[in-house]
Amino acid sequence: MKNIREKLSLVAQTPSDFTGLPTSDPRSPLLFPYRSTRQPDDIPILWRLTHEAVAGTLQPDTFNRALEIGNVGLSKLTMGLFWINADLYLALNSKNVAYLSELGFPDAAEIVSLETYQATIERARTFAPSFTALSHAAWVSGGPVLPPDRFPLQELQETTASSRAEFSRLTDLGDVQAAKPFMQQTQAKLHNRFGSLLKATVRQSQPKALVVREDTRYTGGKIFAVRVAFQDRSRSGGKGLYFGNLVISVESDSETQANTLMALFGLAHGVDSMGRDTVRLALQKPAAMERVLSALRAVYDLPTSPQLTIVKEVWSGPDFTLTGRADPELEKALHTYAVSVGKPRKLEVLVRVPAEALISAEYPDTMAAVIGYLDGLAAAIDEVVRDMENDDAIEVQPVVPLTVQPQPLHPLNVILYGPPGTGKTYSVARLALERLDPDFLSGERTRQELQDRLTQLQAEGRAVFTTFHQNYAYEDFIEGIKPVPAPDGSGGVTYALVPGILKRLVERASAPVLSGAFSDLNPDGQVWKISLDGTAGSSSTREYCLKHGEARIGYEQVGRFDEAVTLSGAPPKAGFTPEAPARPF
């Protein structure tokens, strides 16, 4: 731009800040088509458009013809007009169009002629003092310029009703592939339209402790709802101390929640980034407890009395309705909460804003009171935690550690990912041996040695190498009913429940581990259990049988251990001699 300024002998200084200035996609910056597809009058039309825009006398035939030129389009065309004369022309690029949609102007990009473009321009003027301010707000703040004077509840009801009807139609047809995306798209539209209005209301209240999260869209899969979420301003870069939500829906199983805005403030349910139960530790100081109680009791100008819920593992009593008066039972519950270090942390305060308050002229004041109340709770938590962290004299109690099982040296579940040829299969042998035979890796091993050892483990049934191809199914991996040849050799087929690869590995891993070598043990042999004289604690029959190598099965004939075959089918070891001949009992 400096070179252009010097080339054209311009007096104005070179801009240094381009924030909010609409720009074209650098992959397709041309405002005219290539020569091979260009019409003879394309370039002259664009020059004529430029002269008319500078003079502010844009003609319908010029604009309409420019809109038809290939490689131009509405976005580039209106951006060019904005660059030429920002006082008269609005850029309808993606940022501005999305921003106007948030402000309740969803059809801003539906331009077919200069007449419709001028109508859009006139309507857009009502949202900002200038098009440069509107463009800057769209690119920087992302929030509405003007907050609403009342919430458009009827519009939300109508939008939700039509969307619910379409979603039910898709669901009744069994078209799940269309129903789920439709739900997601509708939630996005509701957020763009109504969520932005809630954000504007929050910004107008200027909270000092709470900050609106960027990603606040409601993603529940059962109802259509609008949500704005808060987070801890002072700890937004890490694990926050608390959270907040504004949620509104015209659909609910409870009549007290439908068409009601639910304003929620709660403590984060886990420990903080330092591994401590920070808020509980802070509340153990009397001054900190009184500070938080004062914030809870500051319920002035709220549309309804807040409800406080403490996790049942800490307080088994009912929820509390917060008033401006002292409540000994509430103080007792909070003291119990403060000393329950290491237990679940759920503590939430809910304020309901009914439909009549949403659509009344007092809506801005009502929401200012609600958001101010939530922000006051957040500020109180910030203050008591900050005081605790600055007070070296406080006795910090550690979080009670949970009893956990020791973790293995290496993670048992590993996913190797990458394009073909990057060494995934090559790395499998070493990763498997790290878990199955780490001693083998104590010295330097060649690739072939690693592969040979893995092959040996596969032969022992301790490792399996499989490929999840397109036909691989649950039956192959877990278990399934499969055809097997008839045992009588007739050529027929029977069906059996056959374990898959994973189940076979689990069964092997579940078997008891025995030390020592058992050369004559057949792991697939059939084992018969024989109870010698029942379960009596002392039995002469059992003692005799064990001493003489006999097995009795309820008949007078006796089976001799020394005459039996081993589980592997081999004869018994030499040297086995019963101490006495067999005899019936």
Side-chain angles (χ1 to χ4, degrees):
M1 294 190 69
K2 181 179 179 181
N3 292 337
I4 295 176
R5 175 175 176 270
E6 295 174 353
K7 184 74 174 178
L8 300 179
S9 300
L10 300 177
V11 178
Q13 296 298 316
T14 304
S16 59
D17 181 9
F18 298 92
T19 302
L21 180 65
T23 57
S24 178
D25 188 337
R27 295 169 297 180
S28 179
L30 298 180
L31 279 165
F32 49 83
Y34 291 107
R35 188 185 302 274
S36 58
T37 58
R38 190 185 306 162
Q39 299 298 318
D41 65 337
D42 283 352
I43 300 300
I45 285 291
L46 291 174
W47 274 115
R48 192 169 78 191
L49 178 91
T50 303
H51 287 290
E52 293 177 358
V54 170
T57 58
L58 191 58
Q59 299 300 308
D61 57 338
T62 306
F63 179 88
N64 299 344
R65 175 64 186 87
L67 197 58
E68 297 173 353
I69 297 176
N71 209 46
V72 177
L74 179 66
S75 178
K76 286 184 182 179
L77 180 62
T78 55
M79 271 196 292
L81 292 174
F82 177 81
W83 295 339
I84 295 169
N85 195 335
D87 292 332
L88 296 180
Y89 303 113
L90 169 67
L92 293 177
N93 59 325
S94 59
K95 286 284 187 181
N96 287 352
V97 168
Y99 182 63
L100 289 170
S101 179
E102 289 185 358
L103 297 173
F105 191 5
D107 53 350
E110 297 179 6
I111 305 299
V112 296
S113 64
L114 179 61
E115 181 181 2
T116 54
Y117 178 53
Q118 289 175 332
T120 296
I121 287 174
E122 293 306 313
R123 184 174 177 183
R125 290 187 189 279
T126 63
F127 295 111
S130 67
F131 294 147
T132 53
L134 189 149
S135 180
H136 185 272
W139 281 72
V140 178
S141 69
V145 176
L146 301 175
D149 56 357
R150 64 192 70 199
F151 190 83
L153 184 61
Q154 182 176 355
E155 182 184 348
L156 176 61
Q157 292 170 334
E158 294 171 352
T159 304
T160 301
S162 60
S163 299
R164 174 58 63 186
E166 177 62 15
F167 181 76
S168 299
R169 185 187 70 83
L170 295 173
T171 304
D172 293 341
L173 292 175
D175 193 353
V176 179
Q177 292 183 342
K180 185 176 181 180
F182 176 79
M183 170 68 80
Q184 295 172 341
Q185 293 167 6
T186 302
Q187 297 287 25
K189 292 179 180 178
L190 291 176
H191 176 72
N192 290 339
R193 169 67 179 121
F194 303 99
S196 62
L197 299 180
L198 287 180
K199 286 183 180 180
T201 301
V202 173
R203 292 191 180 96
Q204 187 181 43
S205 301
Q206 298 181 342
K208 295 179 175 56
L210 292 172
V211 61
V212 176
R213 281 172 42 192
E214 289 299 323
D215 183 16
T216 66
R217 194 178 79 190
Y218 182 80
T219 55
K222 294 183 179 180
I223 64 172
F224 294 112
V226 181
R227 182 184 73 169
V228 170
F230 305 111
Q231 66 183 16
D232 183 338
R233 181 185 297 274
S234 62
R235 297 170 184 257
S236 58
K239 181 72 174 179
L241 297 173
Y242 46 78
F243 64 91
N245 286 315
L246 300 179
V247 180
I248 182 171
S249 172
V250 299
E251 302 179 318
S252 176
D253 296 332
S254 171
E255 293 183 1
T256 61
Q257 295 183 9
N259 300 312
T260 300
L261 187 144
M262 318 289 283
L264 179 71
F265 173 88
L267 297 181
H269 294 174
V271 296
D272 64 15
S273 58
M274 300 298 292
R276 299 186 304 175
D277 209 340
T278 306
V279 177
R280 274 198 174 109
L281 297 175
L283 289 176
Q284 292 176 12
K285 297 180 64 176
M289 177 65 72
E290 183 56 37
R291 173 70 178 88
V292 172
L293 283 169
S294 298
L296 289 171
R297 291 193 291 258
V299 297
Y300 319 110
D301 300 324
L302 295 180
T304 60
S305 297
Q307 301 291 313
L308 182 142
T309 301
I310 300 177
V311 62
K312 296 303 180 184
E313 286 87 342
V314 173
W315 181 256
S316 58
D319 295 345
F320 293 93
T321 298
L322 301 177
T323 65
R325 299 182 298 274
D327 184 345
E329 194 70 8
L330 172 62
E331 295 179 19
K332 178 182 177 181
L334 287 180
H335 280 292
T336 302
Y337 179 86
V339 297
S340 300
V341 177
K343 291 186 179 181
R345 291 187 59 197
K346 179 180 178 182
L347 187 150
E348 296 176 351
V349 178
L350 175 66
V351 182
R352 291 183 171 89
V353 182
E356 55 269 20
L358 294 174
I359 61 177
S360 73
E362 283 72 38
Y363 168 77
D365 295 334
T366 299
M367 291 304 299
V370 171
I371 295 167
Y373 180 71
L374 301 185
D375 195 52
L377 293 176
I381 297 298
D382 279 339
E383 180 180 331
V384 300
V385 169
R386 185 169 54 251
D387 290 345
M388 184 203 72
E389 293 174 341
N390 294 334
D391 188 354
D392 296 333
I394 187 172
E395 180 183 353
V396 179
Q397 302 181 18
V399 177
V400 178
L402 298 176
T403 302
V404 296
Q405 295 295 327
Q407 296 299 309
L409 180 62
H410 302 285
L412 298 181
N413 298 309
V414 177
I415 296 177
L416 304 179
Y417 62 94
T422 53
K424 297 187 297 298
T425 305
Y426 184 88
S427 303
V428 165
R430 177 170 291 277
L431 291 171
L433 293 175
E434 286 177 353
R435 289 149 181 80
L436 298 175
D437 193 2
D439 293 338
F440 182 78
L441 299 176
S442 58
E444 292 294 330
R445 299 291 183 178
T446 65
R447 167 65 181 170
Q448 187 59 48
E449 288 175 329
L450 296 177
Q451 190 60 49
D452 291 344
R453 179 57 180 143
L454 180 60
T455 302
Q456 183 181 359
L457 292 173
Q458 288 179 265
E460 296 173 2
R462 298 182 61 195
V464 174
F465 194 93
T466 186
T467 301
F468 290 91
H469 51 73
Q470 290 87 341
N471 292 331
Y472 205 83
Y474 175 91
E475 292 79 4
D476 301 303
F477 195 57
I478 308 298
E479 68 176 1
I481 299 176
K482 295 185 177 182
V484 296
D488 57 6
S490 62
V493 176
T494 60
Y495 293 88
L497 185 63
V498 179
I501 290 176
L502 179 62
K503 186 175 181 181
R504 291 199 297 270
L505 283 174
V506 171
E507 289 174 343
R508 293 192 187 108
S510 301
V513 179
L514 303 177
S515 60
F518 298 87
S519 59
D520 60 346
L521 181 63
N522 178 9
D524 296 322
Q526 192 172 19
V527 178
W528 297 92
K529 176 185 177 183
I530 299 177
S531 177
L532 297 176
D533 199 18
T535 59
S538 177
S539 169
S540 58
T541 300
R542 183 185 309 123
E543 292 175 0
Y544 181 90
C545 289
L546 294 176
K547 184 177 181 180
H548 297 88
E550 296 178 5
R552 295 182 173 273
I553 57 174
Y555 301 96
E556 290 196 357
Q557 294 182 356
V558 177
R560 295 289 296 270
F561 286 163
D562 59 330
E563 295 175 354
V565 295
T566 64
L567 291 176
S568 62
K573 293 181 179 180
F576 180 85
T577 303
E579 298 183 14
R583 65 175 178 81
F585 282 87

